[in-house]
Amino acid sequence: MPAFSKILSLTGWSGRQPMRQYSAAAQSQLRELLGKQLSGIKEAGTFKAERIITSSQSTQITVQGSDQKILNFCANNYLGLANNPEIVQYSQQLLGKYGAGLSSVRFICGTQDIHKQLEQKISQFHGREDTILYASCFDANAGIFEAILTPEDAVFSDELNHASIIDGIRLCRAKKQRYKHRDLADLEQQLRSTDARLKLIATDGVFSMDGNIAPLARIVELAKKYDALVFVDECHATGFFGATGRGTEEYDNVMGEVDIINSTLGKALGGASGGYTTGPTELISFLRQKSRPYLFSNTLPPAVVAVGLKVMDMLLSSSELSQRVQSNTQRFRQAMTKAGFTIAGENHPICPVMLGDARLASSFADEMLTRGIYVIGFSYPVVPQGKARIRVQISAAHTESEIDQAIQAFIEVGRSLKVIK
C-alpha cells in the first residue's frame, strides 16, 4: 500500500466523507441560529425561492418540473442577446482558439489580445479614453473607491444606490456622505459644506428596483460648480437606454460629461458576465496598479470576452435593438397604466408593478406562472417595507403579441386578487 494511502487508512478516512470532523456543538448552534432566522423570513413572506431554468435564457424558457414554454419577463436580457446564435457561434469559435480560461490574473499571464480589443471597443462605444475589465460590475464598484479615494477626500452617494456601490464605498477611507434620493438641494448643501480634496458624486444612472433615472444633467452642473467628479453606474442603461443605447448621459443630453462610468457585460450586453470601468487614461492605468478585485481575480474567460466583442460590434453598427426595446416598453407601460395598475419608474424597460404587500407580490407572481408568465415578486429587504412589487423587465426580443399576453395575464390576476377592478 502506498505510504499516503496507509496514512489515510490509519486516520479512518475513506474518501467518502470529509476528512475533518467539525465541532458538533458549534455546528448545531449555527443551524439553530440560522434556522430561526430562515423561519422568520418565510413567515414574513419574503423567502426567495429559486426557480430552476432548464433552457437557455430567452423570452421563452422552460423551468424544472414542466416542459411547457413560459414567457420570461424578469431577466436583464434587455436586448435579447443572451442566446443570439451569431454571438453563441463566435463565443464557441474563440473558446476553441483561446481555451477555457487563463488560470491567472491579468498582470501575471492573464492578458490576451482579445481582452485589449474588448477594452478598446468599450472605450469607443462610450467615447472614453480607456477601459479596464473586471469579472463583474460588482467587482468594478468594489475596486474603484478604495483605490482612488483617501481620508482627505469625500464621496457623496445617493441613498438608493445599488448594494455594490454601497459596499465599494464602505471599503474606502474617504469621508462618506449620503444624499436623499435624487435630491439635488441636499446634494448641493453637502457639496457646499465640505473641505475635501477630491469630491466624488456617486449615483446609479438607472435605479434598478424603481426604474427611475438619476437627474444627471443637474448633477453634472453641480459637479462643475463645486469642482467635483461624477461617477455613474450604468448597468441598467448601457446598450439600450438613450437614443442609441449610450445610457443615462445620452438620455439626459450630457454625453461625455460624466467622469467615470462603471457598467456590466452581464445584462444587455450578452448576458454572460464581466464588468468594466471606463474613463480617463490616468484613472484606468492607476486602477491596473491598485484595484484589488482586478489584481487578485482571474481574468475574464475567452468565451465571455467573445460575447462582449460581438455585442459591441453589433451596437457600434446599429441602434435598432435599443429602439425596439424602447417601443416595447411604451406599449407595456401604457396598457398597464390604462388597466389601472401603478407602474413606477420613468419610461424605462424596468417596469415595477407596485403592490405594497410582500405576500401579495409573492402570490401574484405564482398566479402569473400558472398563466405561462414568469415574473418575480420583490419585497423587503430588496425593496423598502411596504413597497413590494412585481418587477417586469421588457426586452427587445419580446414580440408585441407576447407583451399583450403578459398584460392580459396581469389583468386577470389583478382582478382575481382585487388589485384592480
Side-chain angles (χ1 to χ4, degrees):
M1 179 184 290
F4 185 65
S5 297
K6 191 177 294 184
I7 292 171
L8 293 181
S9 176
L10 290 171
T11 64
W13 188 71
S14 66
R16 291 187 293 272
Q17 68 276 340
M19 200 167 172
R20 178 178 175 182
Q21 299 299 315
Y22 293 93
S23 166
Q27 191 172 106
S28 177
Q29 182 184 27
L30 175 68
R31 289 176 185 272
E32 182 179 357
L33 288 171
L34 298 184
K36 287 180 179 178
Q37 293 182 57
L38 285 169
S39 296
I41 293 171
K42 291 176 181 177
E43 289 172 7
T46 58
F47 187 83
K48 295 159 191 66
E50 297 179 358
R51 293 171 180 159
I52 300 173
I53 299 173
T54 56
S55 63
S56 64
Q57 183 65 276
S58 183
T59 56
Q60 294 191 34
I61 58 175
T62 56
V63 297
Q64 193 172 81
S66 173
D67 293 327
Q68 177 190 359
K69 288 277 188 178
I70 59 175
L71 288 176
N72 186 3
F73 277 87
C74 61
N76 297 316
N77 188 23
Y78 295 110
L79 296 178
L81 297 176
N83 68 340
N84 178 278
E86 185 180 352
I87 292 171
V88 172
Q89 182 181 15
Y90 189 65
S91 181
Q92 292 171 340
Q93 179 183 330
L94 291 201
L95 175 65
K97 180 177 180 180
Y98 288 94
L102 275 296
S103 304
S104 180
V105 299
R106 287 283 294 268
F107 80 94
I108 298 177
C109 61
T111 299
Q112 292 174 320
D113 54 354
I114 54 175
H115 294 95
K116 302 305 294 182
Q117 291 168 21
L118 179 54
E119 288 169 339
Q120 290 166 6
K121 287 181 185 294
I122 292 171
S123 301
Q124 180 184 352
F125 179 78
H126 285 286
R128 294 310 194 273
E129 294 175 3
D130 202 0
T131 296
I132 179 173
L133 292 172
Y134 288 89
S136 67
C137 191
F138 204 113
D139 278 349
N141 287 344
I144 189 166
F145 302 103
E146 181 184 28
I148 67 174
L149 299 178
T150 74
E152 300 177 73
D153 306 321
V155 57
F156 305 84
S157 177
D158 188 292
E159 65 180 348
L160 293 189
N161 275 340
H162 190 268
S164 60
I165 299 176
I166 295 169
D167 286 356
I169 289 173
R170 283 174 177 162
L171 294 171
C172 79
R173 298 172 64 197
K175 302 176 184 70
K176 305 170 183 67
Q177 297 181 229
R178 288 191 302 172
Y179 62 91
K180 296 175 184 177
H181 182 46
R182 304 195 306 169
D183 188 328
L184 279 300
D186 187 30
L187 173 59
E188 182 169 18
Q189 175 60 36
Q190 295 187 34
L191 288 168
R192 185 186 295 120
S193 61
T194 186
D195 60 354
R197 183 191 63 165
L198 284 179
K199 298 177 281 291
L200 178 65
I201 304 168
T203 182
D204 276 328
V206 175
F207 294 86
S208 61
M209 286 299 111
D210 294 292
N212 58 12
I213 303 156
L216 206 51
R218 289 186 291 158
I219 288 174
V220 167
E221 286 180 11
L222 284 180
K224 291 177 180 178
K225 182 177 180 179
Y226 293 98
D227 295 321
L229 298 165
V230 178
F231 163 96
V232 179
D233 180 317
E234 287 282 70
C235 284
H236 289 277
T238 300
F240 64 94
F241 198 56
T244 66
R246 262 63 177 183
T248 313
E249 64 172 4
E250 181 178 49
Y251 176 84
D252 221 10
N253 297 312
V254 286
M255 279 294 294
E257 298 189 52
V258 170
D259 299 286
I260 306 166
I261 292 175
N262 276 15
S263 195
T264 182
L265 300 170
K267 292 183 171 60
L269 306 187
S273 63
Y276 58 85
T277 297
T278 188
T281 301
E282 294 82 1
L283 169 68
I284 303 306
S285 296
F286 189 77
L287 290 175
R288 294 192 196 279
Q289 306 305 311
K290 293 290 186 178
S291 181
R292 291 169 71 85
Y294 179 82
L295 290 170
F296 299 106
S297 297
N298 266 19
T299 188
L300 279 181
V304 172
V305 176
V307 173
L309 285 169
K310 183 56 69 173
V311 172
M312 277 294 140
D313 285 342
M314 295 170 70
L315 295 181
L316 287 166
S317 64
S318 172
S319 57
E320 178 186 353
L321 289 176
S322 65
Q323 292 168 5
R324 192 182 304 163
V325 72
Q326 290 166 29
S327 64
N328 283 350
T329 296
Q330 292 175 0
R331 186 180 188 89
F332 181 83
R333 282 181 169 272
Q334 290 172 2
M336 289 288 286
T337 301
K338 183 178 179 181
F341 290 98
T342 300
I343 311 297
E346 309 165 42
N347 199 31
H348 189 276
I350 294 173
C351 303
V353 182
M354 303 304 293
L355 298 172
D357 181 75
R359 288 185 183 278
L360 174 61
S362 180
S363 298
F364 204 115
D366 289 341
E367 286 297 316
M368 290 291 287
L369 188 60
T370 67
R371 289 165 172 79
I373 307 296
Y374 185 13
V375 290
I376 294 292
F378 285 77
S379 55
Y380 182 83
V382 179
V383 296
Q385 287 186 340
K387 298 288 185 179
R389 80 248 353 233
I390 301 288
R391 188 181 72 171
V392 176
Q393 289 168 277
I394 305 298
S395 170
H398 285 128
T399 65
E400 290 185 353
S401 63
E402 288 172 339
I403 292 171
D404 292 345
Q405 184 179 337
I407 293 166
Q408 184 58 38
F410 264 105
I411 291 172
E412 291 174 6
V413 176
R415 288 171 177 166
S416 68
L417 295 180
K418 297 183 172 28
V419 174
I420 59 172
K421 294 181 180 180

